[in-house]
Amino acid sequence: MERRPRVRMIEVARAAGVSHSTASRALNGSGKVSEAARQAVERAARDLGYVRDLRAADLASSRAATVGLLIRAAERPFYGELAARVQAHTEQRDYDLLTVSGGDDLDHQIRALETLLGHGAGGILIASGRAAAEAIEYASSFVPTVTVGVGLVRPGIDAVDIAVESEQELAEAVAEAGHKHVAVTASSNRLAYALHSRTANFLTSLVLADVRTTIVPSRADGDERLIKGLRSALDAGVTAVMAGEDLTAVRVIEQLVEWGLRCPEDVSVTGFDGAGAYRSPLLGLTTVAQPVEDMTGAAVDLLQTRMAGGRVDTAGLRFPGQLVRGRTLGPPPDLGGA
């Protein structure tokens, strides 16, 4: 993919019709710039795709190459584990790592990527299940970019994901337990590509196993829409709930307890990701542990090759996860679960 050249400050100043020093003060947030000039400079910077270089010039030549990592949210166990493994792999290759959170919308992701680019990232890993296609293309227009666990295929963009067979295996385990009516949670956020793909794989596998399905939509973990949809599904005879991620699975179990229902005796529940405590036998959650070590190692290797100018075909790498058979999946009540 052809990279966009870095736009210089003088080009921004020229487009805005101001001096170089005025443009610099406007972009640095100085108060000694008129509002009209500031708006003109910011508009020119956006139109030209200018990214401010935040590195100190006297340090640039002595520092190791910098890799940027964009994750969805550091407080989520899956992304925390993923960031830790990426750091281990980048340190082994003598890279500096700069990590930012991109959140759930395009504007936040673009600002986060501008921070990485502004600090001189020579390559970027995007590891967010809600990364916007526009954000991925924005990063890749400047530097080599690899997505990890995004679940979105873009022309010319290297991607590393979990194998779809792992999602199918979990759905097949639910069907093999004897469940004939299963609810599947589904995110209504348009950027949740990984969850959309996972939901589709769950539904396809269940239908092929002759299992009736019901979709439970959700905008956020534990929101009213999830609770309402879960109640309707149970009233319709659902005996198992497949959540798209472990956090949602735990929310579902908490709601079942509030309603006086037992898991799995009354309703079985499965999750996905298997990060940290969620794969602990103490919790006993039936889930799939994502192959974080394999995925991050392959992603950093691939990014290193791209940053060095290596010529390889666009990669779409997939690694199998591990099915964790916990206590939260059992037979339906009419088969002895009660």
Side-chain angles (χ1 to χ4, degrees):
M1 172 180 290
E2 184 177 352
R3 311 290 177 195
R4 275 193 277 177
R6 296 287 179 105
V7 177
R8 296 175 299 163
M9 179 74 75
I10 188 63
E11 294 172 281
V12 174
R14 201 174 289 135
V18 300
S19 68
H20 182 281
S21 59
T22 297
S24 178
R25 288 198 301 272
L27 292 175
N28 287 329
S30 171
K32 298 180 180 180
V33 178
S34 70
E35 182 63 16
R38 184 184 63 80
Q39 290 183 4
V41 171
E42 290 180 347
R43 183 167 52 251
R46 284 196 303 270
D47 292 345
L48 293 173
Y50 173 80
V51 177
R52 187 160 59 100
D53 191 346
L54 303 178
R55 295 173 298 173
D58 60 341
L59 292 178
S61 61
S62 62
R63 292 182 64 83
T66 300
V67 168
L69 170 64
L70 183 145
I71 58 176
R72 180 184 171 196
E75 70 272 13
R76 288 176 170 263
F78 173 69
Y79 292 111
E81 181 175 329
L82 188 148
R85 297 314 308 153
V86 169
Q87 179 153 355
H89 288 297
T90 53
E91 286 178 351
Q92 291 172 3
R93 295 158 177 80
D94 198 28
Y95 287 131
D96 288 336
L97 179 67
L98 180 62
T99 303
V100 294
S101 296
D104 291 355
D105 64 82
L106 176 60
D107 288 343
H108 282 90
Q109 291 166 20
I110 292 295
R111 287 198 293 271
L113 290 170
E114 287 176 342
T115 296
L116 296 178
L117 292 166
H119 280 86
I124 292 177
L125 297 170
I126 296 180
S128 168
R130 296 193 179 180
E134 296 90 338
I136 297 171
E137 291 169 355
Y138 176 78
S140 66
S141 70
F142 288 105
V143 296
T145 301
V146 178
T147 66
V148 187
V150 172
L152 178 64
V153 177
R154 305 298 295 174
I157 306 295
D158 299 307
V160 180
D161 291 290
I162 189 171
V164 297
E165 289 81 4
S166 298
E167 297 165 344
Q168 296 166 352
E169 183 181 12
L170 180 59
E172 289 166 0
V174 173
E176 290 168 0
H179 295 279
K180 295 299 182 182
H181 191 177
V182 175
V184 177
T185 66
S187 173
S188 58
N189 186 308
R190 72 175 185 86
L191 298 182
Y193 300 112
L195 281 177
H196 295 330
S197 175
R198 188 170 303 148
T199 297
N201 287 328
F202 285 167
L203 292 170
T204 300
S205 298
L206 291 170
V207 169
L208 290 175
D210 199 26
V211 174
R212 181 184 173 190
T213 60
T214 294
I215 294 177
V216 175
S218 175
R219 284 188 299 272
D221 304 316
D223 66 4
E224 290 300 319
R225 194 175 184 187
L226 173 66
I227 296 173
K228 182 178 178 181
L230 180 60
R231 183 70 268 174
S232 296
L234 296 178
D235 290 343
V238 158
T239 60
V241 179
M242 296 190 69
E245 55 186 356
D246 293 334
L247 182 56
T248 302
V250 172
R251 298 287 191 191
V252 169
I253 294 172
E254 290 174 341
Q255 189 59 52
L256 293 176
V257 171
E258 185 174 325
W259 288 334
L261 297 172
R262 300 164 300 166
C263 175
E265 291 85 357
D266 299 313
V267 183
S268 289
V269 179
T270 64
F272 205 93
D273 288 338
Y278 288 118
R279 61 171 172 260
S280 169
L282 185 61
L283 178 60
L285 181 64
T286 295
T287 185
V288 169
Q290 293 224 44
V292 174
E293 176 65 27
D294 292 338
M295 290 167 62
T296 54
V300 173
D301 280 345
L302 187 54
L303 189 63
Q304 182 179 35
T305 299
R306 295 298 192 193
M307 290 171 64
R311 293 181 174 273
V312 295
D313 292 337
T314 301
L317 306 178
R318 292 184 177 271
F319 295 89
Q322 178 187 3
L323 177 60
V324 179
R325 295 183 181 273
R327 296 188 302 274
T328 61
L329 174 60
D334 59 355
L335 291 181

